[in-house]
Amino acid sequence: MCGIVGAIADRDVVPVLIDGLKRLEYRGYDSAGIAVVDGDDVRRVRRTGRVAEMEAAAAQEGFNATLGIGHTRWATHGGVTETNAHPHVSHGVALVHNGIIENHEQQREKLRAMGYEFESQTDTEVIAHLIHSFLAQGADLLSAVQQAVRELHGAYALAVVSRKEPGRMIAARMGCPLLVGLGDGENFVASDVSAIVQATRRVIFLEEGDTADVTRASVAVYDGNGEAVQRDVHISDVSLASLELGPYRHFMQKEIHEQPRAVGDTIEAVMDNGAFSASLFGEGAADVLRDVEGVQILACGTSYYAGLTARYWIESIAKIPCSVEIASEYRYRDAVANPKNLVVTISQSGETLDTMEALKYAKSLGHAKTLSICNVPESAIPRASRLVYYTRAGAEIGVASTKAFTTQLVALFTLTCTIAKLRGVLDDATEASYLDALRQLPGSVQHALNLEPQIVAWSERFAPKQHALFLGRGVHYPIALEGALKLKEISYIHAEAYPAGELKHGPLALVDEAMPVVVIAPNDALLEKVKSNIQEVRARGGEMFVFADADSQFGESEQVHVIRTPRHVGVLSPIVHAIPVQLLAYHAALARGTDVDKPRNLAKSVTVE
Ligand code: HGA
């Protein structure tokens, strides 16, 4: 969601802001803007559309300054217009905001009564006027921001500058990510490190309620009570290569093809260890995991489907109950907590607001056994969790998650086996066979990627369709769900997934020759059942696209097309079968000419409700 970058230096910061916004564009891309402090003036340029359009406008107007802030927007309050784009300005104070201010209407009324006029429909503009109202009472910029945020309900990450104080930039965070980058005689703020990695790798992650007073030569951080605090300095290991497209056409394509490496990196610790071990999940993990009575998984979107897949593993291998719930539902219902259960949150960014709030709610109900599976070190969710397993997918830029999903599955399988072992229900021979399956997984994923030419041929038949059905059974049903999600989010073809056994209870009514039906059907205990379901579709004239594996015998016909992964990989089969459905969605989207990495209305790192 919205991306923030700010810089203060003794060089022109405009290229830093523009470059940073381009790297943050995956977080939001409906409009972009920058504001710079130039002499005793604040100048801004904003444009709807992509950063490149705003960049051209800034170049035309000759923007050049040593202090500035920038923003890419994903609108929540107010349409996609230039007046709603950030930065918002009030009497020489400019700010950029990520988040939602829930009491913006009350604040707006109060500020209107004080004489402030509003030009936008955003919740953000109230913050600019509120800060100015405190400056007008004599506060300096830091104190004005600190007083203003105390009046706000909701979530925010802010970067603020003022023409009256051209030597400083104030940052503040509550509920949305924000970090300070430490340079040499120059400093930065950003939503994530990718925006500033070309300038510095030394970063301070602001904590909830923090404000930071950033000058060229210093950074002072204050907690929510206004007390000066020391926050650790981290050295980011984000690689520049992971942020570049390289020879690929899209980040999604690159990230799909990185999966053998991503999966290999994620299992490395298990392989080095030579066994499933609680130590993989952090200090004291054995004590936390040993006696768990059940697992409650909380997540959103693709991560939720990873959780649904894990439920099959956890109940069959670790032999404890597992429930999986969408985080935004769990956080608002009266849940009954069993503190002996393990709460597992899954989030690629580690900043997903709904998941974070669900975790806080679970903790408030007495859940102390918490574990997060995340891809971004030092992000908010792992910091709020007792245990963590970091997937090592590397930066995921494409809005549609791919390598994060498969690596989450690896982490969840590792967790399953670890709990099973601690509970004494995983014998040595089975452990060895699972370790071997994991060891072979990068190769199996590569074999699935090699199916791409056949999938390209299928995708051309998909491109003209309006709707598609995805079917799976058992542990492959969540893969059908993920396939349908991928297809709809990037190709805009309406797609739904059903457990294959549900077909006759309703969705079969939709099947005709215009409705392609994708079936995930590797050889497992339910294969014969799936085959019967395929016959039911065939009898109604439906055209089927079946992803099978070497062991599942299928008769092909004009109506039934089959692509086989070259080997049957047993328990890890859902991970391998995630690959062809990703490729199908990618190539269908390409054939339809959509913006694959930046699908309409979406954004990455969902930091608003
Ligand atoms: N509420 C603000 C910022 C939106 C945001 O953070 N999106 O991720 C707006 O609508 O401009």
Side-chain angles (χ1 to χ4, degrees):
M1 301 270 134
C2 297
I4 289 177
V5 63
I8 184 163
D10 66 353
R11 57 177 168 137
D12 179 18
V13 296
V14 173
V16 178
L17 300 179
I18 301 280
D19 187 55
L21 291 181
K22 285 184 177 162
R23 291 188 193 281
L24 289 176
E25 206 170 14
Y26 70 98
R27 296 177 70 95
Y29 35 84
D30 59 44
S31 43
I34 58 173
V36 295
V37 179
D38 188 1
D40 60 358
D41 199 12
V42 164
R43 298 174 68 200
R44 84 179 147 172
V45 57
R46 301 178 293 174
R47 288 291 182 274
T48 55
R50 299 295 157 83
V51 173
E53 288 161 46
M54 189 273 293
E55 177 184 20
Q60 212 164 31
E61 292 185 31
F63 270 55
N64 180 316
T66 55
L67 170 60
I69 53 178
H71 191 261
T72 57
R73 181 169 187 242
W74 184 83
T76 64
H77 290 56
V80 179
T81 61
E82 202 167 300
T83 25
N84 286 334
H86 304 210
H88 288 279
V89 171
S90 175
H91 307 275
V93 175
L95 71 78
V96 288
H97 166 222
N98 171 203
I100 288 177
I101 304 307
E102 287 167 0
N103 60 340
H104 69 103
E105 276 168 8
Q106 296 93 305
Q107 293 293 343
R108 189 180 285 255
E109 286 318 306
K110 186 183 80 182
L111 288 158
R112 272 213 179 102
M114 290 164 73
Y116 286 98
E117 286 177 10
F118 286 81
E119 65 161 27
S120 79
Q121 288 87 48
T122 63
D123 50 341
T124 302
E125 195 181 357
V126 303
I127 317 174
H129 291 316
L130 198 54
I131 293 171
H132 179 263
S133 72
F134 288 110
L135 286 173
Q137 291 167 37
D140 72 340
L141 190 59
L142 172 66
S143 150
V145 171
Q146 287 172 329
Q147 291 179 69
V149 296
R150 266 177 226 133
E151 310 241 337
L152 303 177
H153 301 162
Y156 56 80
L158 301 174
V160 191
V161 294
S162 162
R163 71 173 176 216
K164 293 256 175 66
E165 296 176 61
R168 79 200 303 201
M169 168 170 61
I170 307 299
R173 99 157 249 186
M174 178 69 85
C176 293
L178 198 62
L179 56 85
V180 179
L182 307 174
D184 198 4
E186 53 187 24
N187 289 311
F188 309 90
V189 299
S191 300
D192 80 48
V193 72
S194 64
I196 54 166
V197 74
Q198 271 181 322
T200 183
R201 288 181 177 278
R202 298 174 60 230
V203 295
I204 293 172
F205 297 100
L206 294 183
E207 297 197 0
E208 293 292 74
D210 279 359
T211 45
D213 186 0
V214 182
T215 71
R216 264 181 52 203
S218 66
V219 173
V221 182
Y222 303 88
D223 66 14
N225 299 319
E227 302 292 333
V229 281
Q230 290 294 329
R231 300 278 180 233
D232 293 343
V233 177
H234 299 263
I235 309 296
S236 167
D237 62 359
V238 168
S239 80
L240 267 180
S242 71
L243 305 172
E244 308 288 348
L245 257 183
Y248 295 96
R249 196 164 155 196
H250 295 102
F251 279 104
M252 183 180 181
Q253 182 194 25
K254 177 182 183 227
E255 289 156 9
I256 288 173
H257 283 272
E258 280 175 343
Q259 288 176 108
R261 194 274 309 145
V263 163
D265 286 356
T266 302
I267 60 175
E268 194 178 85
V270 188
M271 293 302 131
D272 288 353
N273 204 49
F276 296 107
S277 154
S279 61
L280 298 163
F281 297 88
E283 221 175 292
D287 294 337
V288 177
L289 298 177
R290 184 172 294 112
D291 299 325
V292 294
E293 288 185 354
V295 178
Q296 170 71 66
I297 298 179
L298 303 170
C300 311
T302 289
S303 301
Y304 171 69
Y305 296 146
L308 284 183
T309 312
R311 181 160 67 110
Y312 292 88
W313 287 331
I314 290 169
E315 298 215 350
S316 92
I317 298 171
K319 312 236 177 279
I320 48 173
C322 174
S323 40
V324 189
E325 192 162 347
I326 288 178
S328 56
E329 285 296 309
Y330 176 82
R331 64 176 287 200
Y332 287 121
R333 73 178 177 87
D334 292 326
V336 178
N338 174 356
K340 291 192 175 148
N341 283 356
L342 176 70
V343 170
V344 177
T345 48
I346 313 170
S347 160
Q348 187 283 131
S349 66
E351 303 283 352
T352 312
L353 190 85
D354 286 322
T355 310
M356 181 67 194
E357 293 302 321
L359 172 60
K360 284 188 196 160
Y361 177 54
K363 285 164 78 171
S364 77
L365 295 177
H367 282 292
K369 293 172 182 275
T370 57
L371 182 151
S372 67
I373 293 174
C374 292
N375 193 38
V376 180
E378 291 305 324
S379 49
I381 293 172
R383 279 191 281 141
S385 305
R386 172 72 181 78
L387 303 175
V388 60
Y389 194 101
Y390 284 117
T391 51
R392 291 180 52 205
E396 191 179 69
I397 310 280
V399 166
S401 183
T402 52
K403 62 180 180 172
F405 179 63
T406 43
T407 54
Q408 284 167 353
L409 289 175
V410 166
L412 286 160
F413 183 74
T414 303
L415 175 66
T416 302
C417 296
T418 304
I419 295 176
K421 203 171 156 185
L422 287 166
R423 289 173 45 79
V425 294
L426 186 69
D427 60 57
D428 291 350
T430 313
E431 179 178 16
S433 76
Y434 288 166
L435 286 169
D436 194 48
L438 272 182
R439 195 171 297 113
Q440 299 200 27
L441 187 61
S444 307
V445 168
Q446 184 57 54
H447 287 141
L449 287 169
N450 296 345
L451 301 171
E452 190 163 12
Q454 296 172 61
I455 295 170
V456 171
W458 277 11
S459 65
E460 279 153 19
R461 307 171 70 145
F462 264 77
K465 304 289 185 190
Q466 296 302 316
H467 307 275
L469 273 180
F470 282 66
L471 304 177
R473 267 186 185 255
V475 74
H476 293 101
Y477 164 53
I479 303 306
L481 286 164
E482 173 61 4
L485 177 63
K486 284 293 85 99
L487 190 69
K488 68 185 130 186
E489 67 185 335
I490 60 166
S491 76
Y492 317 147
I493 295 172
H494 169 231
E496 298 297 335
Y498 283 91
E502 266 299 286
L503 207 57
K504 56 193 175 295
H505 296 287
L508 198 55
L510 296 171
V511 171
D512 60 15
E513 50 297 335
M515 171 76 86
V517 181
V518 179
V519 191
I520 320 295
N523 188 17
D524 63 14
L526 296 172
L527 180 62
E528 292 311 316
K529 306 280 176 203
V530 175
K531 283 184 178 171
S532 303
N533 302 136
I534 286 175
Q535 290 309 323
E536 292 159 12
V537 174
R538 200 173 165 197
R540 271 100 194 151
E543 187 175 16
M544 267 150 304
F545 297 84
V546 182
F547 289 114
D549 63 24
D551 287 5
S552 28
Q553 307 297 324
F554 268 104
E556 290 191 51
S557 69
E558 249 181 50
Q559 262 178 279
V560 183
H561 317 287
V562 182
I563 291 179
R564 285 188 178 77
T565 53
R567 58 183 190 217
H568 176 67
V569 298
V571 69
L572 298 180
S573 172
I575 303 180
V576 172
H577 282 85
I579 311 297
V581 296
Q582 295 168 352
L583 286 169
L584 181 64
Y586 175 71
H587 287 289
L590 270 193
R592 286 167 75 96
T594 60
D595 190 344
V596 173
D597 282 337
K598 299 188 181 74
R600 70 182 176 207
N601 305 339
L602 301 180
K604 196 123 183 123
S605 292
V606 185
T607 55
V608 295
E609 270 203 64

